[in-house]
Amino acid sequence: MRTKPEQLINSPLSWLADSGPDDDIALSTRIRLARNFRATPFPIAGNQEALLQVRDLALDAIRESDAMLEPMEFDLPALNDVEKQLLLERRLISREMLNPNQASCLIADKDESLAAMINEEDHLRIQALSPGFQLNPVWNRINQFDDALSRRIPYAFDVHLGFLTSCPSNLGTGMRASVMLHLPGLAMSGQIAAVKQATGKLGLAIRGFYGEGSENFGNLYQISNQSTLGESEKQIIDRLSSIVTQIIIHEKKSRNFLFENKQSYLLNHVGRAYGILRHGYMISSEEALNSLSALRLGVDMGMFSSVDIHTVNELFINVQPSHLQLRAGKELSSEERDTERATLIRETLKAKRGR
Amino acid sequence: MRTKPEQLINSPLSWLADSGPDDDIALSTRIRLARNFRATPFPIAGNQEALLQVRDLALDAIRESDAMLEPMEFDLPALNDVEKQLLLERRLISREMLNPNQASCLIADKDESLAAMINEEDHLRIQALSPGFQLNPVWNRINQFDDALSRRIPYAFDVHLGFLTSCPSNLGTGMRASVMLHLPGLAMSGQIAAVKQATGKLGLAIRGFYGEGSENFGNLYQISNQSTLGESEKQIIDRLSSIVTQIIIHEKKSRNFLFENKQSYLLNHVGRAYGILRHGYMISSEEALNSLSALRLGVDMGMFSSVDIHTVNELFINVQPSHLQLRAGKELSSEERDTERATLIRETLKAKRGR
């Protein structure tokens, strides 16, 4: 069964559309594990026959595990650029998978909360995503999935090095855990640089959600562990968890400070952003993300009865270029995307208003 | 009977709130006449006794004429700066009257469509104002009022020079006729400079509604005759009328061109302006006037079912500094005015939306 990527654009992402702990600040929690098949060349070695075998074995193991209720499969080499970009925009594949090999594929559960990339840099990368800040539940879920697969797949594992991976930076646990945070309060009060410095010193990475060169767009930041070796999964998660907890406390304080001391500035900032989102007819990606950030803050501050943060969360995904193009059913110029983006936002907010 | 200026802030200006010919482009038509008492020194001579006598005679004559249904009288030297500024913002007095002499006063009809300044630069300046573009009806009205006064007041008149005035630039008819035009189409298509040049060559003046240094605010322009001598009132009005008619035709063409060829630009321009007016919490005078201009254009283009141009017209007056301060009941800093201005606009547009 093959799924067409455009089928996804109207289906809500459970990890953004549902409620979760601390979701006023934490949009989602994600953990991915890198795994490889024992005694099989890594995908980079380019042994097509071996990789096709890996793909079939991995797909069988995943299907048999019953971890996914309604699995969707995507044959990556068969997709065009816009379709692959859509999967990237939905966090279902990595940037590397924009140039897949002939045996690359993606399998994901219908609600997109569980997914596996096959034949990326590693034979297998599995991920679980949940709304809000909930590292332990997500860990339990991905761990169970991993256990089920390990009963069917002979993993490459070394007693000293742990799980063997294509890139040494993933050796050991093969785990990357991250929490996506919305930090407009810290951004407005100029504290992001300090937060970055502190998290860096503690061995964590903090980067913009939309990747290189878009660090500040939407005030969305992803905080993740840097190292995978020398600590247990539990230790990594505990450290990440305690730092994210601190950042959330700081962000709340910043929001409260702004609300108490700069209320008209805040109201004006949020109100204008909503005005432009609700009534504009052309909007660039950067302005859209920053305005959505202001709107999300306003929703949390109780300024809007008709909009909820999950609507804003989904717009953060849906305003991206490939989402707009697949929705329109054709390639769009940058200017046409600005118009489509404004239309999507306007109509989404208008529909909410009407309720 | 003395009226307090703050009583005016909640009463609609008939010459902006009512409908009139071509009011999609012409906001209002105004004619004022300068008159002086025969054998009496001009106000500049500063003979207080003579000026007080002029004031009492003029007030009596105006009351007896029955031209005003509900006359309101304002003793200018008794008013504070904000109150005088309010009368200026409502076009009831001239800038000179911000520094009145002891015998200066204003009498105006309740709906502010007819008014007389006493002891400004001339002993008497009477004006009539109507919505839209209607020079002849306004002329008939002010002419009748003038006739009625001339039966009670001995006017200074010379067979060769016509009506004698304090400043030679008003000699002859003593008339200044003007039409206030909203020209966003010509402004957006960069044709205002050409219009200014052409009207100047034809002996007319074109200036920004909000005075020196604010020429472009709100895209509101006042077109008036420059000379008062050597032509009859009818000739002056006919010339002004034919040029205003031409400008209105050009403005309509420009709007249609934009609507047909730059629709998304136009929709975006108008939509964003409405968004900021409807949802902002701080707005400067300049941004408010320019956004109101865009909104007024949008209303004319049929983009809004809930807002009418008369609401926008009134906001053009009500967002001015003294209106905001008298509404708030206290002096306001520039920043406080920006907040009050945004609140007034937001609530006005919200009330309209609710209907």
Side-chain angles (χ1 to χ4, degrees):
Chain A
M1 186 206 74
R2 290 282 179 274
T3 309
K4 292 293 287 175
E6 46 266 54
Q7 291 173 238
L8 301 181
I9 53 174
N10 289 316
S11 74
L13 292 162
S14 65
W15 55 276
L16 275 184
D18 295 346
S19 294
D22 290 308
D23 64 6
D24 48 345
I25 291 167
L27 277 81
S28 60
T29 301
R30 172 180 178 267
I31 299 181
R32 73 108 172 101
L33 300 175
R35 298 290 184 257
N36 285 281
F37 282 52
R38 194 184 304 157
T40 311
F42 288 134
I44 201 164
N47 182 331
Q48 283 301 308
E49 204 179 331
L51 295 181
L52 287 169
Q53 208 174 358
V54 159
R55 184 190 67 188
D56 295 341
L57 284 169
L59 283 175
D60 282 347
I62 292 164
R63 290 184 199 121
E64 284 166 18
S65 76
D66 279 337
M68 298 184 190
L69 290 173
E70 284 187 75
M72 309 182 287
E73 291 178 32
F74 302 87
D75 185 24
L76 289 167
L79 303 183
N80 65 33
D81 288 347
V82 176
E83 291 170 330
K84 283 180 284 192
Q85 190 72 38
L86 181 100
L87 299 177
L88 176 65
E89 291 173 358
R90 294 177 87 82
R91 272 51 195 167
L92 285 172
I93 64 170
S94 61
R95 198 163 289 277
E96 288 71 23
M97 286 295 247
L98 296 179
N99 299 304
N101 63 54
Q102 285 308 308
S104 298
C105 82
L106 164 73
I107 177 166
D109 205 355
K110 177 85 176 163
D111 69 359
E112 298 173 51
S113 67
L114 196 66
M117 281 189 293
I118 299 168
N119 290 321
E120 193 238 28
E121 173 183 301
D122 296 300
H123 291 141
L124 193 58
R125 290 212 166 174
I126 57 176
Q127 71 170 7
L129 275 155
S130 283
F133 172 38
Q134 43 176 333
L135 281 161
N136 285 319
V138 173
W139 166 246
N140 291 336
R141 187 168 189 211
I142 197 76
N143 193 31
Q144 275 177 25
F145 185 37
D146 184 46
D147 283 351
L149 297 183
S150 72
R151 286 191 289 273
R152 293 167 176 89
I153 297 171
Y155 279 163
F157 185 84
D158 178 275
V159 198
H160 299 291
L161 292 172
F163 291 100
L164 300 180
T165 54
S166 173
C167 176
S169 68
N170 287 311
L171 275 177
T173 57
M175 181 178 82
R176 186 83 67 220
S178 65
V179 183
M180 202 214 299
L181 298 174
H182 182 224
L183 305 177
L186 291 169
M188 274 193 232
S189 49
Q191 294 180 76
I192 288 290
V195 169
K196 277 188 180 175
Q197 204 175 16
T199 48
K201 279 186 186 161
L202 294 161
L204 301 177
I206 177 163
R207 53 175 79 87
F209 176 65
Y210 294 98
E212 295 291 326
S214 67
E215 271 71 11
N216 301 318
F217 289 7
N219 298 310
L220 292 179
Y221 294 91
Q222 205 160 262
I223 309 217
S224 62
N225 62 308
Q226 293 256 47
S227 67
T228 53
L229 194 65
E231 286 177 298
S232 72
E233 290 88 348
K234 194 81 189 74
Q235 284 172 315
I236 294 173
I237 285 171
D238 284 350
R239 194 154 42 92
L240 179 61
S241 188
S242 86
I243 291 163
V244 167
T245 302
Q246 289 304 312
I247 296 176
I248 288 177
I249 290 170
H250 280 301
E251 170 65 20
K252 281 190 176 155
K253 278 187 189 160
S254 298
R255 291 187 189 184
N256 287 337
F257 178 85
L258 286 168
F259 193 70
E260 280 163 22
N261 299 285
K262 306 216 167 187
Q263 199 164 15
S264 357
Y265 169 80
L266 192 66
L267 289 170
N268 191 46
H269 176 74
V270 172
R272 280 170 178 259
Y274 177 74
I276 284 167
L277 293 169
R278 177 71 186 77
H279 299 286
Y281 279 76
M282 285 193 272
I283 191 161
S284 73
S285 180
E286 180 174 358
E287 189 184 10
L289 299 174
N290 290 334
S291 302
L292 287 170
S293 169
L295 174 57
R296 195 178 193 280
L297 177 64
V299 171
D300 177 45
M301 293 289 180
M303 285 174 66
F304 298 93
S305 55
S306 60
V307 188
D308 59 84
I309 56 165
H310 307 298
T311 303
V312 184
N313 291 351
E314 288 196 274
L315 281 172
F316 274 127
I317 297 295
N318 292 335
V319 297
Q320 296 173 100
S322 291
H323 275 77
L324 296 174
Q325 294 181 85
L326 283 173
R327 190 178 297 273
K330 59 179 179 184
E331 276 198 46
L332 301 171
S333 68
S334 167
E335 196 172 89
E336 288 168 333
R337 288 203 300 274
D338 289 352
T339 304
E340 284 292 320
R341 185 179 292 114
T343 304
L344 172 70
I345 296 172
R346 218 173 48 242
E347 288 177 356
T348 304
L349 296 180
K350 191 177 173 182
K352 288 288 159 184
R353 213 197 168 288
R355 280 184 194 174
Chain B
M1 187 203 74
R2 289 283 178 276
T3 309
K4 292 292 287 174
E6 47 264 54
Q7 291 173 239
L8 300 182
I9 54 173
N10 289 316
S11 74
L13 292 162
S14 64
W15 54 276
L16 275 184
D18 295 346
S19 293
D22 290 308
D23 63 6
D24 49 344
I25 291 168
L27 277 81
S28 60
T29 301
R30 172 180 177 268
I31 300 180
R32 73 110 171 98
L33 301 175
R35 299 289 185 258
N36 286 281
F37 282 52
R38 192 184 305 157
T40 311
F42 287 133
I44 201 165
N47 181 329
Q48 283 301 309
E49 201 180 334
L51 295 182
L52 288 170
Q53 207 175 358
V54 159
R55 184 190 67 187
D56 295 340
L57 284 168
L59 283 175
D60 281 346
I62 291 164
R63 289 183 199 122
E64 283 165 19
S65 77
D66 278 335
M68 298 184 189
L69 290 173
E70 284 187 76
M72 309 181 288
E73 290 178 34
F74 302 89
D75 184 25
L76 289 167
L79 302 183
N80 65 33
D81 287 348
V82 176
E83 291 171 329
K84 281 179 286 191
Q85 190 73 37
L86 180 99
L87 299 177
L88 176 65
E89 290 173 357
R90 294 177 86 81
R91 273 48 195 169
L92 286 172
I93 64 171
S94 60
R95 199 163 288 278
E96 288 71 24
M97 285 296 247
L98 296 179
N99 298 304
N101 63 54
Q102 284 309 309
S104 297
C105 81
L106 165 72
I107 176 167
D109 205 354
K110 178 86 175 163
D111 70 358
E112 301 175 47
S113 67
L114 196 65
M117 280 189 292
I118 298 169
N119 291 320
E120 192 238 25
E121 173 182 302
D122 295 299
H123 291 142
L124 192 59
R125 289 209 167 178
I126 57 176
Q127 71 170 6
L129 275 156
S130 283
F133 173 37
Q134 45 176 331
L135 281 161
N136 286 319
V138 174
W139 165 247
N140 290 337
R141 187 170 189 212
I142 197 73
N143 193 32
Q144 275 177 23
F145 185 38
D146 185 46
D147 284 349
L149 297 182
S150 73
R151 286 191 289 273
R152 293 165 177 90
I153 296 169
Y155 280 163
F157 185 84
D158 178 275
V159 199
H160 300 293
L161 293 172
F163 291 100
L164 301 179
T165 54
S166 173
C167 175
S169 69
N170 287 310
L171 275 177
T173 58
M175 181 178 84
R176 185 82 68 219
S178 65
V179 181
M180 201 213 299
L181 297 175
H182 182 222
L183 304 177
L186 290 169
M188 275 192 230
S189 50
Q191 294 180 75
I192 289 290
V195 169
K196 276 189 180 173
Q197 204 175 16
T199 49
K201 279 187 186 161
L202 294 161
L204 300 178
I206 177 164
R207 55 176 77 89
F209 176 64
Y210 294 98
E212 295 291 326
S214 67
E215 271 71 12
N216 302 319
F217 289 6
N219 298 311
L220 293 178
Y221 294 91
Q222 204 160 263
I223 310 214
S224 62
N225 61 308
Q226 294 255 45
S227 66
T228 53
L229 193 66
E231 287 177 297
S232 72
E233 291 86 349
K234 195 80 189 72
Q235 283 172 317
I236 294 172
I237 286 171
D238 284 349
R239 194 154 42 91
L240 178 61
S241 188
S242 86
I243 291 164
V244 167
T245 302
Q246 288 303 312
I247 295 176
I248 288 177
I249 290 170
H250 280 301
E251 170 65 19
K252 281 189 178 158
K253 277 187 188 160
S254 298
R255 291 187 188 183
N256 287 337
F257 178 84
L258 286 168
F259 193 71
E260 281 163 21
N261 299 286
K262 307 219 168 186
Q263 200 164 16
S264 1
Y265 169 81
L266 193 66
L267 289 170
N268 190 46
H269 176 74
V270 171
R272 281 170 176 258
Y274 177 74
I276 283 167
L277 293 169
R278 177 71 186 78
H279 299 286
Y281 279 76
M282 285 194 272
I283 191 162
S284 72
S285 180
E286 180 174 358
E287 191 184 11
L289 300 175
N290 290 335
S291 302
L292 287 170
S293 170
L295 174 56
R296 195 178 193 280
L297 176 64
V299 171
D300 177 45
M301 293 289 182
M303 287 173 66
F304 299 93
S305 55
S306 59
V307 188
D308 58 84
I309 55 165
H310 307 298
T311 303
V312 184
N313 291 350
E314 287 197 273
L315 281 172
F316 273 127
I317 297 295
N318 292 336
V319 298
Q320 297 175 99
S322 291
H323 275 78
L324 297 174
Q325 295 183 84
L326 283 173
R327 191 178 296 272
K330 60 179 179 183
E331 275 198 50
L332 301 172
S333 68
S334 167
E335 197 172 87
E336 289 169 333
R337 288 203 301 274
D338 289 352
T339 304
E340 284 291 321
R341 185 180 293 113
T343 303
L344 172 69
I345 297 172
R346 217 172 49 244
E347 289 176 357
T348 304
L349 296 180
K350 190 177 176 185
K352 287 289 160 186
R353 212 198 167 288
R355 281 185 193 173

